[in-house]
Amino acid sequence: MKYLLIITTVFAILLSSCGNKGLEKGHQSLLEASKQELAAALEERDQLLCIVKEISVSMDQIKNLENIMAIAGTQSLEKPDQRARLLSDMVVVKESLKHRRERLVELESRLQESALYTDDMKGTINALRNQIDRQTEEIEFLRCQLLSTNEHIHALNNEVDSLNTTVAIVNDNLEAVQAASACLENELNTCHYVVASKSQLKEHHIIETGFLRKLKLLEGDFDKEFFSIGDKRDLSTLVLQSNKVKIYTNHPGDSYEINNVDKNKILTITNPDKFWSLTNYLVIQIE
């Protein structure tokens, strides 16, 4: 909107100065103007309009940079090359603004010596100069903001590196704890079972009996190697391969079932937690 207003003003001033300084004087002024003066006036007009157009382009460039800074924040500016490219774009825009201001000063100096330099023209040039100054301030503000962002990101990167180191240490400790926990859990769920004849159980000192002597189970130096090792979470059935079985160890009666299948007994553990709640050993005698 400012761009259109400036162009309209410039055209109005130039047309008024070059050919419309009043109906009563316009025709006479054109006749008196030399070809060189007319050519110079047209050249100055074109230069001024070019500067107006370039200022509009600068406004678009700055607006685009502002949008990038606003939308991206620090997330899409994490890579150094992205920030460097954006900073380079800002420097280019700033240098362009400096060059346009110098051209405007040079043009104003020439216009001051011509009939085109009216009060309206002077006001228009001041407006253009103020616009360039504001754009220069805006681009400098964006540049400082980006540099501040760079410093902030650098500090955050250092903090992230420190946190990553801490997290790595914590993860190592956690893995060690998890490994120890898994080992303990496996140990707690380890069970020992044996299915054998009475003579075998006695041979390995798992049971001890005698005349008028009470049965002794898993006492003294019994042979632990004779037991099979299982996992309470996985051990659900045992095929006993006998039609006569006797369980010596103590397990709640409602935590298991013994069924006949093809003349063999099959032990089915229906409630593992309850079944192994009293002992981690299972001793079964078969015949």
Side-chain angles (χ1 to χ4, degrees):
M1 190 65 183
K2 290 181 179 180
Y3 168 54
L4 294 175
L5 180 60
I6 291 174
I7 290 179
T8 304
T9 304
V10 171
F11 267 116
I13 294 172
L14 291 173
L15 290 175
S16 175
S17 301
C18 292
N20 293 300
K21 290 186 177 180
L23 293 176
E24 69 279 0
K25 295 182 179 181
H27 184 65
Q28 182 179 358
S29 298
L30 287 174
L31 292 176
E32 293 175 353
S34 65
K35 290 183 179 181
Q36 291 182 350
E37 291 174 339
L38 181 57
L42 291 174
E43 182 183 357
E44 291 165 351
R45 178 204 64 183
D46 292 342
Q47 290 184 18
L48 192 60
L49 291 176
C50 183
I51 293 175
V52 172
K53 183 177 180 180
E54 289 176 356
I55 290 175
S56 177
V57 172
S58 296
M59 292 174 63
D60 293 339
Q61 290 174 328
I62 293 173
K63 194 66 179 176
N64 182 54
L65 292 172
E66 288 176 341
N67 289 337
I68 293 175
M69 293 286 290
I71 295 174
T74 59
Q75 294 182 355
S76 63
L77 299 178
E78 292 178 350
K79 296 182 178 179
D81 58 336
Q82 292 176 317
R83 301 195 298 273
R85 185 167 59 252
L86 190 57
L87 185 60
S88 176
D89 292 342
M90 292 179 182
V91 171
V92 170
V93 174
K94 187 176 180 180
E95 287 298 319
S96 298
L97 290 170
K98 180 181 178 182
H99 180 61
R100 286 163 197 162
R101 198 180 195 287
E102 292 172 352
R103 287 170 53 199
L104 186 62
V105 170
E106 180 183 352
L107 180 60
E108 183 181 24
S109 178
R110 296 206 309 269
L111 286 172
Q112 287 174 347
E113 300 176 0
S114 69
L116 293 174
Y117 196 66
T118 62
D119 289 341
D120 288 340
M121 175 61 74
K122 183 178 180 180
T124 299
I125 291 176
N126 285 333
L128 291 174
R129 183 166 41 245
N130 291 336
Q131 182 66 31
I132 292 175
D133 290 343
R134 282 195 297 271
Q135 290 180 353
T136 302
E137 291 176 359
E138 289 176 11
I139 201 67
E140 179 62 18
F141 172 77
L142 290 177
R143 190 183 73 86
C144 292
Q145 189 177 27
L146 181 58
L147 291 176
S148 176
T149 299
N150 284 346
E151 294 177 359
H152 182 60
I153 291 176
H154 180 69
L156 287 177
N157 285 338
N158 290 337
E159 185 176 347
V160 168
D161 289 341
S162 177
L163 288 175
N164 284 338
T165 301
T166 302
V167 169
I169 295 174
V170 171
N171 284 338
D172 290 342
N173 292 337
L174 180 59
E175 289 176 1
V177 170
Q178 289 175 338
S181 177
C183 183
L184 178 60
E185 184 176 3
N186 290 335
E187 184 177 347
L188 291 175
N189 282 285
T190 297
C191 60
H192 307 268
Y193 63 94
V194 61
V195 179
S197 65
K198 185 175 183 180
S199 60
Q200 288 176 315
L201 295 176
K202 293 178 68 175
E203 178 184 352
H204 293 278
H205 306 289
I206 295 172
I207 62 173
E208 292 182 2
T209 60
F211 182 71
L212 300 178
R213 192 170 70 180
K214 185 178 179 181
L215 173 72
K216 293 183 179 181
L217 175 67
L218 301 176
E219 291 187 1
D221 190 19
F222 67 93
D223 187 1
K224 294 183 180 180
E225 298 295 329
F226 190 58
F227 283 82
S228 297
I229 298 176
D231 191 317
K232 299 175 184 178
R233 296 164 293 188
D234 302 326
L235 186 63
S236 58
T237 59
L238 282 175
V239 179
L240 305 179
Q241 297 181 344
S242 175
N243 59 359
K244 291 184 178 181
V245 300
K246 181 178 182 180
I247 298 178
Y248 282 105
T249 44
N250 191 14
H251 304 276
D254 57 352
S255 65
Y256 67 95
E257 296 176 351
I258 296 179
N259 300 306
N260 291 314
V261 178
D262 296 331
K263 297 183 180 180
N264 288 320
K265 299 288 186 180
I266 294 182
L267 170 69
T268 302
I269 301 174
T270 57
N271 189 334
D273 290 337
K274 194 171 185 179
F275 183 84
W276 299 105
S277 62
L278 301 178
T279 178
N280 289 329
Y281 285 85
L282 170 61
V283 177
I284 301 177
Q285 175 185 313
I286 61 174
E287 295 183 5

